[in-house]
Amino acid sequence: MKTSIKIDNVLQGFLESLYSENVSRISAANYLSDINQFFPWFARQINFSGVYVESFSDLLPFFKKDSGKIYKEYLLQLKIPVSSINRALSSLRRLSRYFLSRGLLTFDFMEATGNVKRYQKESQTLASHPLLSEFEKHLSMES
């Protein structure tokens, strides 16, 4: 279910702040693209509790300090390329700083969310590989 984001005064203000900082139109479009990927996921998390959201203004009361971390884990599960995940996280960090600067949130929802390191994603993939448990059993039987 793809939910498109309604450009309300919150998101419009974010875009205007990007342009006032001389961010190129291409970079601004990338920020908006990443936010458009985040919005449906976050809206679904909220909709599970029975609340309907259609704009970023509707989302603000539902942000938590770990929202960014949970989204990062979701992206890792989808096996999205590391560079795409990190770009999305960067966009959301910028959005979170905007929320703070405007007093829309009192905390940085991306504060504890660092970039994915290439080896981190590879090790997570290896750790979940089904043959790993078989190999561990084999090693324990040899001991």
Side-chain angles (χ1 to χ4, degrees):
M1 169 177 108
K2 174 86 171 149
T3 306
S4 62
I5 191 167
K6 179 180 174 183
I7 305 261
D8 64 358
N9 59 344
V10 171
L11 195 54
Q12 184 63 42
F14 174 66
L15 290 171
E16 288 171 9
S17 77
L18 293 175
Y19 295 134
S20 73
E21 296 171 22
N22 295 321
V23 170
S24 73
R25 293 222 176 257
I26 291 172
S27 293
N30 288 337
Y31 284 120
L32 188 57
S33 173
D34 293 333
I35 292 167
N36 267 318
Q37 296 299 313
F38 172 76
F39 178 80
W41 172 83
F42 197 57
R44 278 192 303 275
Q45 308 312 302
I46 295 165
N47 290 342
F48 288 140
S49 65
V51 177
Y52 177 74
V53 296
E54 64 179 27
S55 70
F56 244 94
S57 295
D58 296 339
L59 292 177
L60 289 172
F62 298 97
F63 277 95
K64 298 194 175 16
K65 289 185 178 186
D66 64 349
S67 295
K69 182 180 176 214
I70 295 168
Y71 184 62
K72 175 183 171 181
E73 291 167 4
Y74 166 75
L75 295 176
L76 284 166
Q77 289 174 355
L78 293 179
K79 299 183 182 186
I80 292 174
V82 170
S83 59
S84 297
I85 292 173
N86 287 339
R87 190 187 92 172
L89 296 176
S90 176
S91 296
L92 291 175
R93 277 188 211 98
R94 185 102 182 217
L95 180 66
S96 186
R97 286 192 308 268
Y98 171 77
F99 288 167
L100 278 169
S101 73
R102 298 297 190 260
L104 298 171
L105 289 179
T106 58
F107 58 89
D108 181 352
F109 74 91
M110 292 297 293
E111 183 176 31
T113 309
N115 279 350
V116 176
K117 295 176 177 63
R118 293 207 185 274
Y119 69 84
Q120 176 184 355
K121 185 166 182 191
E122 291 165 4
S123 66
Q124 284 180 347
T125 303
L126 179 61
S128 63
H129 197 282
L131 290 178
L132 185 59
S133 62
E134 293 298 319
F135 183 63
E136 287 172 342
K137 285 180 194 175
H138 174 74
L139 288 177
S140 66
M141 291 182 349
E142 286 184 353
S143 311

